[in-house]
Amino acid sequence: MKKRTGIFLLIGLFLLSLNAVAQDKNFYIFLCFGQSNMEGNARIEAQDTVNVNPRFQVMEAVDCPAINRTKGNWYTAKPPLCRCRTGLTPADYFGRELVANLPSTVRIGVINVAVGGCKIELFDKDQYMSYTTNVPGWMKNFIGEYGGNPYGRLVEMAKLAQKDGVIKGILLHQGESNTGDTLWTKKVKVVYDNLMNDLDLKPKKVPLLAGETVNADQNGKCASMNKIIATLPQTIKNAHVISSAGCTDSADDLHFNAAGYRELGKRYAMQMLSLLGYKPMATN
């Protein structure tokens, strides 16, 4: 009996060692979620499709046969980074800027689950079903691409990703559909706390970076929401607000244009680099 127990113990230790080898501590993973400005509203331009460093990876959260991507697998992070036909996002230049400033031994991975037009309630695992009852049909179609539960898909993909690397942060761009909602910060905290619990993460080690909506200096229609977003660090201690000041937008004054996404993504990266203890190099 002792011999058999010893064998099982050795087998268990062997399997644990295999898992340790498989997980690369230098593979930094970031979860991205929100509504249309995280989904990507701007058209992808030629400059966005070239010179993507293979150290920057995206885990596809949906099946995209047209671009030869399968849910749950890693690919070089050439846009689109959200669903199969979405546009440029802040995550694109967030990742590019990180790999440009981090040691060559470090890889970056992003998982982007976002739904245009949604309220933050869509990502509350206890409220999303009641919320989705009355959303428009087009939004239900987007939600359906995530199996009807975007939060659940984000967690599913994140657990897969944790086998390969380490989750280092969370990027949020949401708020337009909750403009004026003074409970927004508390609702975000519910989602953040659920992610910490469901993925066994420590809040002190996993910051939340939240981007502002299109700024008042661009005549942003939801710019008033930025006053509420600014208070997020009062509710989530490890939250950091990313300014959208000067980030150019599209004609609808709701979405950033491609140049705006590039700049905003770099600002997310600058904040994350600082939190990781790196001084960013000057870039164009």
Side-chain angles (χ1 to χ4, degrees):
M1 184 66 183
K2 287 183 178 180
K3 185 176 181 181
R4 181 178 295 179
T5 301
I7 291 172
F8 284 138
L9 180 60
L10 286 172
I11 291 172
L13 290 172
F14 176 70
L15 291 173
L16 282 173
S17 68
L18 283 179
N19 183 62
V21 170
Q23 188 187 56
D24 181 358
K25 300 293 185 182
N26 284 324
F27 188 16
Y28 296 176
I29 295 163
F30 298 89
L31 309 182
C32 309
F33 75 101
Q35 58 182 107
S36 54
N37 274 316
M38 183 57 80
E39 185 182 63
N41 187 264
R43 180 174 295 181
I44 298 163
E45 299 177 359
Q47 64 180 293
D48 307 314
T49 65
V50 296
N51 302 320
V52 181
N53 193 315
R55 286 170 48 216
F56 178 27
Q57 300 271 302
V58 59
M59 176 178 278
E60 195 62 59
V62 299
D63 288 321
C64 290
I67 55 174
N68 298 313
R69 292 182 183 175
T70 304
K71 179 184 73 175
N73 290 319
W74 292 107
Y75 301 91
T76 298
K78 180 179 176 180
L81 300 190
C82 190
R83 298 189 310 282
C84 317
R85 295 173 297 278
T86 51
L88 198 68
T89 82
D92 284 275
Y93 283 80
F94 168 76
R96 289 186 181 214
E97 196 73 7
L98 285 186
V99 296
N101 283 278
L102 291 171
S104 60
T105 53
V106 176
R107 293 182 297 142
I108 299 299
V110 295
I111 303 170
N112 190 336
V113 173
V115 175
C118 77
K119 290 188 174 183
I120 193 63
E121 284 85 344
L122 179 61
F123 291 93
D124 183 333
K125 67 179 184 179
D126 297 317
Q127 302 293 330
Y128 80 96
M129 291 188 71
S130 59
Y131 170 71
T132 56
T133 301
N134 297 313
V135 300
W138 57 263
M139 191 188 298
K140 286 183 179 179
N141 290 336
F142 293 162
I143 294 169
E145 292 190 50
Y146 297 118
N149 182 359
Y151 175 85
R153 181 62 57 85
L154 182 61
V155 169
E156 177 191 356
M157 295 299 99
K159 287 182 176 179
L160 282 177
Q162 285 179 305
K163 296 177 181 179
D164 302 320
V166 180
I167 295 173
K168 288 286 189 176
I170 299 171
L171 278 59
L172 169 68
H173 203 288
Q174 195 281 331
E176 293 88 349
S177 292
N178 287 85
T179 297
D181 183 357
T182 56
L183 296 178
W184 181 82
T185 58
K186 293 182 179 179
K187 293 174 181 179
V188 172
K189 188 175 189 302
V190 168
V191 181
Y192 178 77
D193 288 347
N194 284 339
L195 286 170
M196 297 299 103
N197 292 328
D198 292 341
L199 298 171
D200 195 24
L201 299 171
K202 296 180 179 178
K204 289 184 179 180
K205 293 186 176 182
V206 184
L208 174 68
L209 277 55
E212 291 183 336
T213 65
V214 173
N215 205 273
D217 64 19
Q218 304 295 315
N219 299 312
K221 289 182 178 177
C222 298
S224 62
M225 184 62 184
N226 291 335
K227 292 181 180 179
I228 294 175
I229 294 173
T231 67
L232 189 60
Q234 298 173 22
T235 303
I236 300 174
K237 292 182 179 179
N238 203 6
H240 305 267
V241 176
I242 310 303
S243 171
S244 67
C247 293
T248 51
D249 71 331
S250 64
D252 65 9
D253 291 330
L254 287 171
H255 301 99
F256 299 95
N257 60 19
Y261 282 125
R262 294 183 196 112
E263 176 60 27
L264 188 63
K266 290 177 182 179
R267 292 181 185 182
Y268 274 96
M270 294 300 102
Q271 179 65 71
M272 194 65 227
L273 285 165
S274 176
L275 293 171
L276 290 170
Y278 290 90
K279 184 178 181 180
M281 295 183 293
T283 58
N284 295 327

